[in-house]
Amino acid sequence: MNTEQWPSEWLRGVLGVCVLRILLDGPSYGYAITQRLAEAGLGTVKGGTLYPLLGRLEEAGHVEVDWRPGEGGPGRKFYALTEQGRAEAGEQSARWVDFTTTTRSLTDEALAQTTGRN
Amino acid sequence: MNSKATRATGPMVERIFGDPGAIAPSVEKAWRDDFIIELRLRSLPGEAIGDALMTVESHVAESGEKAQDAFGEAKTYAREVAAATGTAARGWSVSAATVASTLLGLAGMLLSVRAFGSWLDGEPIGVTTGELVGLAVLILLASTLFFTATLRMLVEHRWLALPVPALLVGGLVGLHIALDEPLFELPALAVGVAGVLSLTASVLLSWVEEPAGLDQVTAPGQAPTVTTKSRMAAVLIFPLMTLGLFIFTWVLHLIVT
């Protein structure tokens, strides 16, 4: 599947819950998060999209940040879930499952109708 | 892999005192400048700007992308950053104390220099309508500098830097010539004392206002480097300019007489 084809408005909606999910595995930094998202099949998420999202998570108290020295580089800003962020990750994942179940039942019907017609 | 990532390790902090170029060497200068200016105009403190800049540096150094490709237009991204940190809604960025201190400094400078000139001539100060109108215009224009809208206009139309001051000086000189009827006279000493008091008030206000320094762009974990020297220079700008104008006036006086 060509991951670049996901409409950007879909990605915008799902990115928050995906980032929270990745951080459940432990603290991580921006570039590593973009790579995890790409490996998961979401395609390339630009820094310009990711960091403001992380900033909003920080502002909301869902993540804590911590600069760690890089290996010869400029250092990395690590994002770690707070207790509140952990709860938020669980809650949002559950809601996302509900949401996709709902949309899925609709799209399954659509598929059934269009394949039935063909 | 970006070549910058192989740069020497060690405590970066010691080498990048308030220098955005050192904080983000992998980010193209034009992008970096636009980014910092927009964040400044949106009232982000220097520390937050340094953090945002270092985040960009960290990402582009590691991914090898250009800032423009990874983050898009600097101004647009700066707006996103400001919105995410909740400061985008703030309208203007300069405190009342800074405004008062600058206006007092400006007035103190003009009064002192005028008094000094009169004292050299051994005459009282003959105040003309043109001077009063000119002073009012100058103070009014200086006040507008504290609104973000004015700052933004000047920053986004940098070519204005040349014609605007020229027009201003021309206008003021024109006012002096056109409206040169003396309205009243003031003793040089009284005006001089008022000028010095105004300058003193300006220095005290700006000293109290900026204890932490000049809001430098600092990298994460780095304290701003406010030496007493740099702080003194910032606080004493108007007295120093006044002193310079004293010398200028004195030299002119020597030449003319």
Side-chain angles (χ1 to χ4, degrees):
Chain A
M1 156 103 22
N2 176 12
T3 55
E4 299 297 335
Q5 72 189 1
W6 303 122
S8 60
E9 57 267 36
W10 293 6
L11 280 174
R12 246 198 310 278
V14 77
L15 203 57
V17 67
C18 290
V19 168
L20 286 169
R21 161 66 194 88
I22 288 169
L23 291 176
L24 271 179
D25 293 340
S28 187
Y29 57 97
Y31 181 61
I33 296 172
T34 60
Q35 289 197 308
R36 275 292 308 275
L37 290 167
E39 280 163 24
L42 284 169
T44 311
V45 173
K46 295 279 180 195
T49 308
L50 180 69
Y51 291 100
L53 168 72
L54 288 166
R56 283 191 289 276
L57 290 176
E58 185 187 351
E59 195 69 10
H62 297 323
V63 299
E64 295 173 323
V65 301
D66 168 32
W67 278 96
R68 301 186 193 172
E71 298 137 20
R76 289 164 174 167
K77 190 178 191 176
F78 272 78
Y79 300 83
L81 285 181
T82 58
E83 235 5 86
Q84 191 195 337
R86 202 163 277 279
E88 179 77 8
E91 200 178 303
Q92 280 210 22
S93 299
R95 293 194 65 197
W96 189 261
V97 168
D98 284 350
F99 180 72
T100 45
T101 309
T102 307
T103 51
R104 181 71 194 267
S105 72
L106 274 174
T107 49
D108 281 353
E109 285 166 29
L111 274 183
Q113 283 189 16
T114 48
T115 45
R117 215 174 285 153
N118 291 341
Chain B
M1 193 68 186
N2 192 300
S3 63
K4 291 288 190 298
T6 56
R7 165 160 49 89
T9 51
M12 289 280 299
V13 169
E14 282 155 31
R15 278 177 282 131
I16 51 181
F17 286 140
D19 174 10
I23 293 176
S26 316
V27 179
E28 307 91 272
K29 187 176 184 308
W31 197 95
R32 196 170 66 207
D33 289 348
D34 286 351
F35 186 57
I36 294 173
I37 289 169
E38 188 62 28
L39 290 177
R40 281 269 189 231
L41 287 173
R42 287 177 185 269
S43 312
L44 250 73
E47 195 190 347
I49 296 175
D51 190 289
L53 194 59
M54 188 91 154
T55 305
V56 172
E57 166 68 14
S58 175
H59 188 91
V60 298
E62 197 141 14
S63 67
E65 289 174 287
K66 283 190 162 173
Q68 175 76 35
D69 298 335
F71 292 88
E73 287 297 328
K75 260 179 84 169
T76 315
Y77 178 57
R79 275 200 286 275
E80 291 266 342
V81 170
T85 50
T87 55
R90 278 167 57 184
W92 69 339
S93 53
V94 183
S95 72
T98 308
V99 177
S101 144
T102 307
L103 290 181
L104 280 171
L106 191 65
M109 182 177 76
L110 294 173
L111 290 175
S112 307
V113 170
R114 192 64 211 283
F116 183 67
S118 288
W119 176 75
L120 283 177
D121 295 336
E123 288 167 10
I125 300 173
V127 181
T128 67
T129 318
E131 278 174 338
L132 285 184
V133 174
L135 187 68
V137 167
L138 206 60
I139 288 178
L140 211 68
L141 284 177
S143 316
T144 64
L145 278 181
F146 297 101
F147 291 95
T148 310
T150 314
L151 292 177
R152 179 177 292 283
M153 195 190 74
L154 290 177
V155 164
E156 288 175 355
H157 305 92
R158 284 177 217 181
W159 55 269
L160 286 174
L162 222 60
V164 164
L167 274 175
L168 189 63
V169 170
L172 290 179
V173 169
L175 271 175
H176 276 239
I177 294 170
L179 305 168
D180 64 347
E181 287 292 301
L183 276 183
F184 52 85
E185 288 194 341
L186 289 172
L189 183 68
V191 173
V193 169
V196 171
L197 283 178
S198 184
L199 279 173
T200 313
S202 150
V203 167
L204 289 177
L205 255 177
S206 97
W207 184 264
V208 174
E209 168 66 6
E210 284 282 5
L214 316 164
D215 197 22
Q216 295 167 328
V217 172
T218 50
Q222 173 196 10
T225 51
V226 186
T227 58
T228 313
K229 214 166 132 194
S230 67
R231 203 179 149 196
M232 290 294 273
V235 166
L236 291 179
I237 179 101
F238 280 112
L240 289 175
M241 276 164 63
T242 306
L243 207 63
L245 285 172
F246 273 12
I247 295 169
F248 182 67
T249 311
W250 183 59
V251 171
L252 269 187
H253 183 81
L254 283 184
I255 294 171
V256 172
T257 55

